[in-house]
Each structure stands twice: as C-alpha cells, then as structure tokens.
Amino acid sequence: MIFSLKRLLALSLCIFSFACLAAEPLDLNTATADQLALALSGVGQSKAEAIVAYRDQNGPFMNVDDLTKVKGIGPALLDKNRMILQIKQPK
C-alpha cells in the first residue's frame, strides 16, 4: 500500500510539473491581482494587490526584475517565480 501511494504521488508530481511547464507565462503588466495570487508561490492576495497598485501608480514593469521594487517582494521570492513571469512587448 505504501509503495503504491509513493508511486501515485510521484506520478502526480510529474503530471503537475508538465502542466506547469506547458502553461503560458504570466505577464506582469496585464495580470490581475487574482491571477497573480493564484499563480505565484509565496504571493497572497495582499501582495498581489500591491503589485497591481505599484503598476497602476508607476506604469508598466520594464522587466521581471522590476518586481522587486514592490514592497514585500524580494530577490528570493522573485527567483522562486521567475520561470512563470514575463513582460510582453507591446505589438
């Protein structure tokens, strides 16, 4: 029974990892607070709202590293989420 649970957990993690890799990165300049809170690890509703408020007050983010300008977002938190973030260039 334990062996089966371990295999099931490992399989679930693999499927989840592939699903995350297949998802399109989140654009910091268009994402809503709800989207940010849901997608970013270590970011709850309050920090997500702070990200949107910063963007509204200061204009669009020029690059992903600018996220650290938001109070409560440091380099470690950014690095944890870097792979799922992007800045789309206007068309």
Coordinates of all heavy atoms in Angstrom, one line a residue:
M1 N 0.8 -1.2 0.0 CA 0.0 0.0 0.0 C 0.9 1.3 0.0 O 0.6 2.2 -0.7 CB -0.9 0.0 1.2 CG -1.8 1.2 1.4 SD -3.2 1.1 0.2 CE -4.1 2.4 0.8
I2 N 1.9 1.3 0.8 CA 2.8 2.5 0.9 C 3.5 2.7 -0.4 O 3.6 3.8 -0.9 CB 3.8 2.4 2.1 CG1 3.0 2.5 3.4 CG2 4.8 3.5 2.0 CD1 3.9 2.3 4.6
F3 N 3.9 1.6 -1.0 CA 4.6 1.7 -2.3 C 3.7 2.3 -3.3 O 4.1 3.1 -4.1 CB 5.1 0.3 -2.7 CG 5.8 0.3 -4.0 CD1 7.1 0.9 -4.1 CD2 5.2 -0.2 -5.2 CE1 7.7 0.9 -5.4 CE2 5.9 -0.2 -6.4 CZ 7.1 0.4 -6.5
S4 N 2.5 1.9 -3.3 CA 1.5 2.4 -4.3 C 1.2 3.9 -4.1 O 1.1 4.7 -5.1 CB 0.2 1.7 -4.2 OG 0.4 0.3 -4.5
L5 N 1.2 4.3 -2.9 CA 1.0 5.8 -2.6 C 2.2 6.6 -3.0 O 2.0 7.7 -3.6 CB 0.7 6.0 -1.1 CG -0.6 5.5 -0.6 CD1 -0.7 5.7 1.0 CD2 -1.8 6.2 -1.2
K6 N 3.4 6.1 -2.8 CA 4.6 6.8 -3.3 C 4.6 6.9 -4.8 O 4.9 8.0 -5.3 CB 5.8 6.1 -2.8 CG 6.1 6.2 -1.3 CD 7.4 5.6 -1.0 CE 7.7 5.7 0.5 NZ 8.9 5.0 0.9
R7 N 4.2 5.8 -5.5 CA 4.2 5.9 -6.9 C 3.1 6.9 -7.4 O 3.3 7.6 -8.4 CB 3.9 4.5 -7.5 CG 5.1 3.6 -7.3 CD 4.8 2.2 -7.9 NE 4.9 2.3 -9.4 CZ 4.5 1.4 -10.2 NH1 4.2 0.2 -9.7 NH2 4.6 1.5 -11.5
L8 N 2.0 6.9 -6.8 CA 0.9 7.8 -7.1 C 1.3 9.2 -6.9 O 1.1 10.1 -7.7 CB -0.4 7.5 -6.3 CG -1.6 8.3 -6.6 CD1 -2.0 8.2 -8.0 CD2 -2.7 8.0 -5.7
L9 N 2.0 9.5 -5.8 CA 2.5 10.8 -5.5 C 3.5 11.3 -6.6 O 3.4 12.4 -7.1 CB 3.1 10.9 -4.1 CG 3.6 12.3 -3.7 CD1 2.6 13.3 -3.7 CD2 4.3 12.2 -2.3
A10 N 4.4 10.4 -6.9 CA 5.4 10.7 -7.9 C 4.8 11.0 -9.2 O 5.2 11.9 -9.9 CB 6.5 9.6 -8.0
L11 N 3.9 10.2 -9.6 CA 3.2 10.4 -10.9 C 2.4 11.7 -10.9 O 2.5 12.4 -11.9 CB 2.2 9.2 -11.2 CG 1.4 9.3 -12.5 CD1 2.3 9.3 -13.7 CD2 0.5 8.1 -12.6
S12 N 1.8 12.0 -9.8 CA 1.0 13.3 -9.7 C 2.0 14.4 -9.8 O 1.7 15.4 -10.5 CB 0.3 13.4 -8.4 OG -0.7 12.3 -8.3
L13 N 3.1 14.4 -9.2 CA 4.1 15.5 -9.3 C 4.6 15.6 -10.7 O 4.8 16.8 -11.2 CB 5.2 15.2 -8.3 CG 4.9 15.4 -6.8 CD1 6.1 15.0 -6.0 CD2 4.5 16.8 -6.5
C14 N 4.8 14.5 -11.4 CA 5.3 14.6 -12.8 C 4.2 15.3 -13.7 O 4.5 16.1 -14.5 CB 5.6 13.2 -13.3 SG 7.1 12.5 -12.6
I15 N 3.0 14.8 -13.5 CA 1.9 15.4 -14.3 C 1.8 16.9 -14.0 O 1.7 17.7 -14.9 CB 0.6 14.6 -14.1 CG1 0.7 13.2 -14.6 CG2 -0.6 15.4 -14.7 CD1 -0.4 12.3 -14.2
F16 N 1.8 17.3 -12.7 CA 1.7 18.7 -12.4 C 2.8 19.5 -12.9 O 2.6 20.6 -13.4 CB 1.6 18.8 -10.8 CG 1.5 20.2 -10.4 CD1 0.3 20.9 -10.5 CD2 2.6 20.8 -9.8 CE1 0.2 22.2 -10.1 CE2 2.5 22.2 -9.4 CZ 1.3 22.8 -9.5
S17 N 4.0 19.0 -12.9 CA 5.2 19.7 -13.4 C 5.1 19.9 -14.9 O 5.3 21.0 -15.4 CB 6.5 18.9 -13.1 OG 6.7 18.8 -11.7
F18 N 4.6 18.9 -15.6 CA 4.5 19.1 -17.1 C 3.3 20.1 -17.4 O 3.4 20.9 -18.3 CB 4.2 17.8 -17.8 CG 5.4 16.9 -17.9 CD1 5.4 15.6 -17.3 CD2 6.5 17.3 -18.5 CE1 6.5 14.8 -17.4 CE2 7.7 16.6 -18.6 CZ 7.7 15.3 -18.0
A19 N 2.3 20.1 -16.6 CA 1.2 21.0 -16.8 C 1.7 22.4 -16.5 O 1.3 23.4 -17.2 CB 0.0 20.7 -15.9
C20 N 2.5 22.6 -15.5 CA 3.0 24.0 -15.2 C 4.0 24.4 -16.3 O 4.0 25.6 -16.7 CB 3.8 23.9 -13.9 SG 2.7 23.8 -12.5
L21 N 4.8 23.5 -16.9 CA 5.7 23.9 -17.9 C 4.9 24.3 -19.2 O 5.4 25.1 -20.0 CB 6.7 22.8 -18.2 CG 7.7 22.5 -17.1 CD1 8.5 21.3 -17.5 CD2 8.6 23.7 -16.9
A22 N 3.8 23.6 -19.4 CA 3.0 23.9 -20.6 C 2.2 25.2 -20.6 O 1.9 25.7 -21.6 CB 2.1 22.7 -20.9
A23 N 2.0 25.7 -19.4 CA 1.2 26.9 -19.2 C 2.0 28.1 -19.7 O 3.2 28.2 -19.6 CB 0.8 27.1 -17.8
E24 N 1.3 29.1 -20.3 CA 2.0 30.3 -20.8 C 2.4 31.1 -19.5 O 1.7 31.2 -18.6 CB 1.0 31.1 -21.6 CG 1.6 32.3 -22.2 CD 0.7 33.0 -23.2 OE1 -0.1 32.4 -23.8 OE2 0.9 34.3 -23.3
P25 N 3.6 31.8 -19.6 CA 4.0 32.6 -18.5 C 3.0 33.8 -18.3 O 2.3 34.2 -19.2 CB 5.3 33.2 -19.0 CG 5.8 32.2 -20.0 CD 4.6 31.7 -20.7
L26 N 3.0 34.2 -17.1 CA 2.1 35.3 -16.6 C 2.7 36.7 -16.9 O 3.9 36.9 -16.5 CB 1.8 35.1 -15.2 CG 0.7 36.0 -14.5 CD1 -0.6 35.6 -15.1 CD2 0.7 35.7 -13.0
D27 N 2.0 37.5 -17.6 CA 2.5 38.9 -17.9 C 2.3 39.8 -16.8 O 1.1 40.0 -16.4 CB 1.8 39.4 -19.2 CG 2.4 40.7 -19.6 OD1 3.4 41.2 -19.1 OD2 1.8 41.3 -20.6
L28 N 3.4 40.3 -16.2 CA 3.3 41.2 -15.1 C 2.5 42.5 -15.3 O 1.9 43.1 -14.4 CB 4.6 41.6 -14.6 CG 5.3 40.6 -13.7 CD1 6.8 41.1 -13.4 CD2 4.6 40.4 -12.4
N29 N 2.4 42.9 -16.6 CA 1.7 44.2 -16.9 C 0.3 44.0 -17.3 O -0.4 45.0 -17.4 CB 2.5 44.9 -18.1 CG 3.8 45.4 -17.6 OD1 3.9 45.8 -16.5 ND2 4.8 45.4 -18.5
T30 N -0.2 42.8 -17.3 CA -1.7 42.6 -17.6 C -2.4 41.7 -16.6 O -3.6 41.7 -16.6 CB -1.9 42.0 -19.1 OG1 -1.2 40.8 -19.1 CG2 -1.3 43.0 -20.1
A31 N -1.6 41.0 -15.8 CA -2.2 40.1 -14.9 C -3.0 40.8 -13.8 O -2.6 41.9 -13.3 CB -1.2 39.2 -14.2
T32 N -4.2 40.2 -13.4 CA -5.0 40.8 -12.3 C -4.4 40.3 -11.0 O -3.6 39.4 -10.9 CB -6.4 40.3 -12.4 OG1 -6.4 38.9 -12.2 CG2 -7.0 40.6 -13.8
A33 N -4.8 41.0 -9.9 CA -4.4 40.6 -8.6 C -4.8 39.1 -8.3 O -4.0 38.4 -7.7 CB -5.0 41.5 -7.5
D34 N -6.0 38.7 -8.7 CA -6.4 37.3 -8.5 C -5.5 36.4 -9.3 O -5.1 35.3 -8.7 CB -7.9 37.2 -9.0 CG -8.8 37.8 -8.1 OD1 -8.5 38.1 -6.9 OD2 -10.0 38.1 -8.5
Q35 N -5.1 36.7 -10.5 CA -4.2 35.8 -11.3 C -2.9 35.7 -10.6 O -2.3 34.6 -10.5 CB -4.1 36.3 -12.7 CG -5.4 36.2 -13.5 CD -5.3 36.9 -14.9 OE1 -4.7 38.0 -15.0 NE2 -5.9 36.3 -15.9
L36 N -2.4 36.8 -10.2 CA -1.0 36.8 -9.5 C -1.1 36.0 -8.2 O -0.2 35.2 -8.0 CB -0.6 38.3 -9.2 CG -0.3 39.1 -10.4 CD1 -0.3 40.6 -10.1 CD2 1.0 38.7 -11.1
A37 N -2.1 36.2 -7.4 CA -2.2 35.5 -6.2 C -2.3 34.0 -6.4 O -1.7 33.2 -5.6 CB -3.4 36.0 -5.3
L38 N -3.0 33.6 -7.4 CA -3.2 32.2 -7.7 C -1.9 31.5 -8.3 O -1.6 30.4 -7.9 CB -4.3 32.0 -8.7 CG -4.7 30.6 -9.1 CD1 -5.2 29.8 -7.9 CD2 -5.8 30.6 -10.2
A39 N -1.2 32.3 -9.1 CA -0.1 31.7 -9.9 C 1.3 31.8 -9.2 O 2.1 30.9 -9.4 CB 0.0 32.4 -11.2
L40 N 1.5 32.8 -8.4 CA 2.8 33.0 -7.8 C 2.9 32.3 -6.4 O 2.1 32.5 -5.5 CB 3.1 34.5 -7.7 CG 3.1 35.3 -9.0 CD1 3.4 36.7 -8.7 CD2 4.1 34.7 -10.0
S41 N 4.0 31.6 -6.2 CA 4.3 31.0 -5.0 C 4.8 32.0 -4.0 O 5.6 32.9 -4.3 CB 5.4 30.0 -5.2 OG 5.8 29.4 -4.0
G42 N 4.2 32.0 -2.8 CA 4.6 33.0 -1.8 C 3.9 34.3 -1.9 O 4.2 35.3 -1.2
V43 N 3.0 34.5 -2.8 CA 2.2 35.7 -3.0 C 0.8 35.5 -2.8 O 0.1 34.7 -3.5 CB 2.4 36.3 -4.4 CG1 1.6 37.5 -4.7 CG2 3.9 36.6 -4.7
G44 N 0.2 36.1 -1.7 CA -1.2 36.0 -1.4 C -1.9 37.2 -2.1 O -1.3 38.0 -2.8
Q45 N -3.2 37.3 -1.7 CA -4.0 38.4 -2.3 C -3.4 39.8 -2.0 O -3.4 40.7 -2.8 CB -5.4 38.3 -1.7 CG -6.4 39.1 -2.5 CD -6.6 38.7 -4.0 OE1 -6.5 37.6 -4.3 NE2 -6.8 39.7 -4.8
S46 N -2.9 40.0 -0.7 CA -2.4 41.3 -0.3 C -1.2 41.7 -1.2 O -1.1 42.9 -1.7 CB -2.0 41.3 1.1 OG -1.5 42.5 1.6
K47 N -0.2 40.8 -1.3 CA 0.9 41.1 -2.1 C 0.6 41.3 -3.6 O 1.1 42.1 -4.3 CB 2.0 40.1 -2.0 CG 2.8 40.2 -0.8 CD 4.0 39.2 -0.7 CE 4.7 39.2 0.6 NZ 5.7 38.1 0.7
A48 N -0.4 40.5 -4.1 CA -0.8 40.6 -5.5 C -1.4 42.0 -5.7 O -1.2 42.6 -6.7 CB -1.8 39.5 -5.8
E49 N -2.2 42.4 -4.8 CA -2.8 43.7 -4.9 C -1.8 44.8 -4.8 O -1.9 45.9 -5.5 CB -3.9 43.9 -3.8 CG -5.1 43.1 -4.1 CD -6.1 43.1 -2.9 OE1 -5.9 43.8 -1.9 OE2 -7.1 42.3 -3.0
A50 N -0.7 44.6 -4.1 CA 0.4 45.6 -4.0 C 1.1 45.7 -5.3 O 1.5 46.7 -5.8 CB 1.3 45.2 -2.9
I51 N 1.2 44.5 -6.0 CA 1.9 44.5 -7.3 C 1.0 45.3 -8.3 O 1.6 46.2 -9.1 CB 2.0 43.1 -7.8 CG1 3.1 42.3 -7.0 CG2 2.5 43.0 -9.3 CD1 3.1 40.8 -7.2
V52 N -0.3 45.1 -8.3 CA -1.1 45.8 -9.3 C -1.2 47.3 -8.9 O -1.1 48.2 -9.8 CB -2.6 45.2 -9.3 CG1 -3.5 46.1 -10.1 CG2 -2.5 43.8 -9.8
A53 N -1.2 47.7 -7.6 CA -1.2 49.1 -7.2 C 0.1 49.7 -7.6 O 0.1 50.9 -8.1 CB -1.4 49.2 -5.7
Y54 N 1.2 49.1 -7.5 CA 2.5 49.6 -7.9 C 2.5 49.9 -9.4 O 2.9 50.9 -9.9 CB 3.7 48.6 -7.5 CG 5.0 49.2 -8.0 CD1 5.8 50.0 -7.1 CD2 5.5 48.9 -9.2 CE1 7.0 50.5 -7.5 CE2 6.7 49.4 -9.7 CZ 7.5 50.2 -8.8 OH 8.7 50.7 -9.2
R55 N 2.0 48.9 -10.2 CA 1.9 49.1 -11.6 C 1.0 50.2 -12.0 O 1.4 51.0 -12.9 CB 1.4 47.7 -12.2 CG 1.3 47.7 -13.7 CD 0.9 46.3 -14.2 NE -0.6 46.2 -13.8 CZ -1.2 45.0 -13.7 NH1 -0.5 43.9 -13.9 NH2 -2.4 44.9 -13.5
D56 N -0.1 50.4 -11.3 CA -1.0 51.5 -11.6 C -0.4 52.8 -11.3 O -0.6 53.8 -12.0 CB -2.3 51.3 -10.8 CG -3.2 50.1 -11.3 OD1 -2.9 49.6 -12.4 OD2 -4.1 49.7 -10.5
Q57 N 0.4 52.9 -10.2 CA 1.0 54.2 -9.8 C 2.3 54.5 -10.6 O 2.6 55.7 -10.7 CB 1.3 54.1 -8.3 CG 0.1 54.1 -7.4 CD 0.4 53.8 -6.0 OE1 1.6 53.7 -5.6 NE2 -0.6 53.8 -5.1
N58 N 3.0 53.5 -11.0 CA 4.3 53.8 -11.6 C 4.5 53.4 -13.1 O 5.5 53.5 -13.7 CB 5.4 53.0 -10.8 CG 5.5 53.4 -9.4 OD1 6.0 54.5 -9.1 ND2 4.9 52.7 -8.5
G59 N 3.4 52.9 -13.6 CA 3.5 52.5 -15.0 C 3.9 51.0 -15.2 O 4.2 50.4 -14.2
P60 N 4.0 50.6 -16.4 CA 4.3 49.1 -16.6 C 5.7 48.8 -16.1 O 6.6 49.6 -16.1 CB 4.1 49.0 -18.1 CG 4.2 50.3 -18.7 CD 3.8 51.3 -17.6
F61 N 5.8 47.5 -15.8 CA 7.1 47.0 -15.4 C 7.9 46.9 -16.7 O 7.4 46.5 -17.8 CB 7.0 45.6 -14.8 CG 6.4 45.6 -13.5 CD1 5.0 45.3 -13.3 CD2 7.1 45.9 -12.3 CE1 4.4 45.3 -12.1 CE2 6.5 45.9 -11.1 CZ 5.2 45.5 -11.0
M62 N 9.2 47.3 -16.7 CA 10.1 47.2 -17.9 C 10.7 45.8 -18.0 O 11.0 45.4 -19.1 CB 11.1 48.3 -17.8 CG 10.6 49.7 -17.7 SD 9.3 50.1 -19.0 CE 10.4 50.3 -20.4
N63 N 10.9 45.2 -16.9 CA 11.5 43.8 -16.9 C 11.0 43.1 -15.6 O 10.5 43.7 -14.7 CB 13.0 43.8 -17.1 CG 13.7 44.6 -16.0 OD1 13.6 44.2 -14.8 ND2 14.4 45.6 -16.3
V64 N 11.2 41.8 -15.6 CA 10.7 41.0 -14.5 C 11.4 41.4 -13.2 O 10.8 41.4 -12.1 CB 10.9 39.5 -14.8 CG1 10.6 38.6 -13.6 CG2 10.0 39.0 -16.0
D65 N 12.7 41.8 -13.3 CA 13.4 42.2 -12.1 C 12.8 43.4 -11.4 O 13.0 43.6 -10.2 CB 14.9 42.5 -12.4 CG 15.6 41.2 -12.8 OD1 15.4 40.2 -12.2 OD2 16.4 41.3 -13.8
D66 N 12.1 44.2 -12.1 CA 11.4 45.4 -11.5 C 10.4 45.0 -10.5 O 10.0 45.8 -9.6 CB 10.7 46.2 -12.6 CG 11.6 47.1 -13.4 OD1 12.8 47.2 -13.0 OD2 11.2 47.6 -14.4
L67 N 10.0 43.7 -10.4 CA 9.0 43.3 -9.4 C 9.6 43.5 -8.0 O 8.8 43.7 -7.1 CB 8.7 41.8 -9.7 CG 7.6 41.2 -8.8 CD1 6.3 42.0 -9.0 CD2 7.4 39.8 -9.2
T68 N 10.9 43.5 -7.8 CA 11.5 43.7 -6.5 C 11.3 45.1 -6.0 O 11.6 45.4 -4.9 CB 13.0 43.3 -6.5 OG1 13.7 44.1 -7.4 CG2 13.1 41.8 -6.8
K69 N 10.8 46.0 -6.9 CA 10.5 47.4 -6.4 C 9.2 47.5 -5.6 O 9.0 48.5 -5.0 CB 10.4 48.3 -7.7 CG 11.7 48.5 -8.4 CD 11.6 49.4 -9.6 CE 12.9 49.5 -10.4 NZ 12.7 50.4 -11.6
V70 N 8.5 46.4 -5.7 CA 7.2 46.3 -4.9 C 7.5 45.9 -3.5 O 8.3 44.9 -3.3 CB 6.2 45.3 -5.5 CG1 5.0 45.2 -4.7 CG2 5.9 45.7 -7.0
K71 N 7.0 46.7 -2.5 CA 7.3 46.4 -1.1 C 6.8 45.0 -0.8 O 5.7 44.6 -1.1 CB 6.6 47.4 -0.2 CG 6.8 47.2 1.2 CD 6.2 48.3 2.1 CE 6.5 48.0 3.5 NZ 5.9 49.0 4.4
G72 N 7.7 44.2 -0.2 CA 7.3 42.8 0.2 C 7.8 41.8 -0.8 O 7.6 40.6 -0.6
I73 N 8.3 42.2 -1.9 CA 8.8 41.3 -2.9 C 10.3 41.4 -3.0 O 10.8 42.5 -3.4 CB 8.2 41.6 -4.4 CG1 6.7 41.7 -4.3 CG2 8.7 40.5 -5.4 CD1 6.0 40.4 -4.1
G74 N 11.0 40.4 -2.6 CA 12.5 40.4 -2.6 C 13.0 39.5 -3.6 O 12.3 38.8 -4.3
P75 N 14.4 39.5 -3.8 CA 15.0 38.7 -4.8 C 14.7 37.2 -4.6 O 14.5 36.5 -5.6 CB 16.5 38.9 -4.5 CG 16.6 40.2 -3.8 CD 15.3 40.3 -3.0
A76 N 14.6 36.7 -3.4 CA 14.3 35.2 -3.2 C 12.9 34.9 -3.7 O 12.7 33.9 -4.4 CB 14.4 34.8 -1.8
L77 N 11.9 35.7 -3.4 CA 10.6 35.5 -3.9 C 10.5 35.6 -5.4 O 9.9 34.8 -6.1 CB 9.6 36.5 -3.3 CG 8.1 36.3 -3.5 CD1 7.7 34.9 -3.0 CD2 7.3 37.4 -2.9
L78 N 11.2 36.6 -6.0 CA 11.3 36.7 -7.4 C 11.9 35.5 -8.1 O 11.3 34.9 -9.0 CB 12.0 38.0 -7.8 CG 12.3 38.1 -9.3 CD1 11.0 38.2 -10.1 CD2 13.2 39.3 -9.6
D79 N 13.0 35.0 -7.6 CA 13.7 33.9 -8.1 C 12.8 32.6 -8.1 O 12.8 31.8 -9.0 CB 15.0 33.6 -7.4 CG 16.1 34.6 -7.8 OD1 15.9 35.3 -8.8 OD2 17.1 34.8 -7.1
K80 N 12.0 32.5 -7.0 CA 11.1 31.3 -6.9 C 10.0 31.3 -8.0 O 9.5 30.3 -8.4 CB 10.4 31.4 -5.5 CG 9.7 30.1 -5.2 CD 9.1 30.0 -3.8 CE 9.3 31.1 -2.8 NZ 8.6 30.9 -1.5
N81 N 9.7 32.5 -8.5 CA 8.6 32.6 -9.5 C 9.1 33.1 -10.9 O 8.3 33.2 -11.8 CB 7.6 33.7 -9.0 CG 6.9 33.1 -7.8 OD1 6.1 32.2 -7.9 ND2 7.2 33.7 -6.6
R82 N 10.4 33.3 -11.1 CA 10.9 33.9 -12.3 C 10.5 33.1 -13.6 O 10.2 33.7 -14.6 CB 12.4 34.0 -12.2 CG 13.1 34.6 -13.4 CD 14.6 34.7 -13.3 NE 15.0 35.5 -12.1 CZ 15.1 36.8 -12.1 NH1 14.8 37.5 -13.2 NH2 15.5 37.5 -11.1
M83 N 10.4 31.8 -13.5 CA 10.2 31.0 -14.7 C 8.7 31.1 -15.2 O 8.5 30.8 -16.3 CB 10.4 29.5 -14.4 CG 11.9 29.2 -14.1 SD 13.0 29.6 -15.5 CE 12.5 28.5 -16.7
I84 N 7.8 31.6 -14.4 CA 6.4 31.8 -14.8 C 6.0 33.2 -15.1 O 4.9 33.5 -15.3 CB 5.4 31.1 -13.9 CG1 5.5 31.8 -12.5 CG2 5.7 29.6 -13.7 CD1 4.3 31.4 -11.6
L85 N 7.0 34.1 -15.1 CA 6.7 35.5 -15.3 C 7.3 36.0 -16.6 O 8.4 35.5 -17.0 CB 7.3 36.4 -14.1 CG 6.7 36.1 -12.8 CD1 7.5 36.9 -11.7 CD2 5.2 36.6 -12.7
Q86 N 6.7 37.0 -17.2 CA 7.2 37.6 -18.4 C 6.7 39.0 -18.5 O 5.7 39.4 -17.8 CB 6.8 36.8 -19.6 CG 5.3 36.9 -20.0 CD 5.0 36.2 -21.3 OE1 5.9 35.7 -22.0 NE2 3.8 36.1 -21.6
I87 N 7.3 39.8 -19.4 CA 6.9 41.1 -19.8 C 6.7 41.0 -21.3 O 7.7 40.9 -22.0 CB 7.9 42.2 -19.4 CG1 8.3 42.2 -17.9 CG2 7.4 43.5 -19.9 CD1 7.2 42.6 -17.0
K88 N 5.5 41.1 -21.7 CA 5.2 41.1 -23.1 C 5.5 42.5 -23.7 O 5.1 43.5 -23.1 CB 3.8 40.7 -23.4 CG 3.5 39.2 -23.2 CD 2.1 38.9 -23.6 CE 1.7 37.5 -23.4 NZ 0.4 37.1 -23.7
Q89 N 6.1 42.5 -24.9 CA 6.3 43.7 -25.5 C 5.1 44.1 -26.3 O 4.4 43.3 -26.9 CB 7.5 43.6 -26.5 CG 8.8 43.2 -25.8 CD 9.2 44.2 -24.7 OE1 9.1 45.4 -24.9 NE2 9.6 43.7 -23.6
P90 N 4.7 45.4 -26.3 CA 3.5 45.9 -27.0 C 3.7 45.6 -28.5 O 4.8 45.7 -29.0 CB 3.4 47.3 -26.7 CG 4.6 47.7 -25.9 CD 5.4 46.5 -25.6
K91 N 2.6 45.3 -29.1 CA 2.6 45.0 -30.6 C 2.5 46.3 -31.4 O 2.0 47.2 -31.0 CB 1.5 44.0 -30.9 CG 1.7 42.7 -30.3 CD 0.5 41.8 -30.7 CE 0.8 40.4 -30.0 NZ -0.3 39.5 -30.2

